[in-house]
Amino acid sequence: MARMLELTDISVARGGVPVLQGVTCALGAGQALILTGPNGVGKTTLLRAVAGLQPVLAGQMTRPSEGVAYAAHADALKPTLSVAENLSFWAEIFGTRDIAPALSAMGLEGLRHRAAQNLSAGQKRRLGLARLLVTGRKLWLLDEPTVSLDAAAVALFGAVIRAHLTDGGAALMASHIDIGLSEASTLDLSLFRAAPGGTDAFDEAFA
């Protein structure tokens, strides 16, 4: 099985304060790993480090040379553009053209002409997740991907992840809820706290 991601003794910090140390895991093609742990433990911080948005303090990391697709808390939408225009914008960036499969997968066909600023929170989240499908990237990093999604949308998302794994992709996710992905393994980051008793939860948005 081809390795998509390998972390060895990774340590990361938030605001200059170490939050995790010694994180070691591996993710192969067709595999998903869900990061768990209480707010403030460092899930977002680790995902940002894997995405290359911040440096690690220590350890070694191997990831795909062509990069990763990262879906953070914000959906990264241009509010005045339509659903289709938003997806087309990202498709152009990543060198793809056909947005129809992404619209269909996340149930957005009927909303393709609606401006992003007029979408509900759940619809915006679905559009943000649909963006992953036009990146062509094999490794997906997802931070609380089911926020604002109803049960039907969570099911759509689960189907998208399964299809991505079947196609040889991989996914590293942070989630507080059961997303119904029995194929996924879990990693409790509270086992890798940098200091006894946990870290300051001054900013739970960066959990």
Side-chain angles (χ1 to χ4, degrees):
M1 179 184 297
R3 285 284 175 89
M4 300 291 292
L5 176 70
E6 190 165 7
L7 307 181
T8 305
D9 291 327
I10 292 292
S11 297
V12 294
R14 181 177 61 234
V17 179
V19 290
L20 294 171
Q21 62 183 13
V23 179
T24 298
C25 63
L27 197 58
Q31 293 184 326
L33 179 64
I34 299 176
L35 305 175
T36 64
N39 287 342
V41 76
K43 297 186 294 295
T44 292
T45 303
L46 181 61
L47 284 173
R48 284 177 54 82
V50 175
L53 298 177
Q54 68 177 69
V56 299
L57 295 179
Q60 295 183 329
M61 175 167 54
T62 303
R63 60 189 175 195
S65 57
E66 73 275 13
V68 302
Y70 177 45
H73 290 105
D75 292 315
L77 306 177
K78 293 184 176 295
T80 59
L81 296 186
S82 70
V83 167
E85 288 169 338
N86 266 283
L87 277 182
S88 294
F89 171 79
W90 286 106
E92 285 284 340
I93 287 177
F94 288 100
T96 59
R97 291 292 184 271
D98 189 7
I99 65 170
L103 290 171
S104 176
M106 293 308 298
L108 294 167
E109 302 102 317
L111 299 170
R112 63 179 299 133
H113 299 301
R114 184 175 299 182
Q117 63 190 1
N118 296 326
L119 298 176
S120 70
Q123 290 166 342
K124 289 177 181 176
R125 192 57 170 169
R126 278 191 280 147
L127 178 53
L129 293 173
R131 180 167 51 90
L132 296 167
L133 293 164
V134 302
T135 65
R137 299 290 172 85
K138 286 295 188 180
L139 178 59
W140 291 358
L141 308 177
L142 307 167
D143 199 350
E144 298 293 348
T146 57
V147 168
S148 301
L149 297 185
D150 59 20
V154 170
L156 283 176
F157 167 72
V160 165
I161 291 292
R162 290 187 186 92
H164 179 62
L165 300 181
T166 299
D167 194 39
L172 180 66
M173 299 173 278
S175 180
H176 284 291
I177 71 168
D178 181 4
I179 60 178
L181 197 65
S182 59
E183 302 92 331
S185 302
T186 61
L187 181 65
D188 183 359
L189 290 185
S190 63
L191 301 175
F192 302 96
R193 288 183 188 271
T199 60
D200 233 351
F202 71 94
D203 108 18
E204 293 189 350
F206 293 94

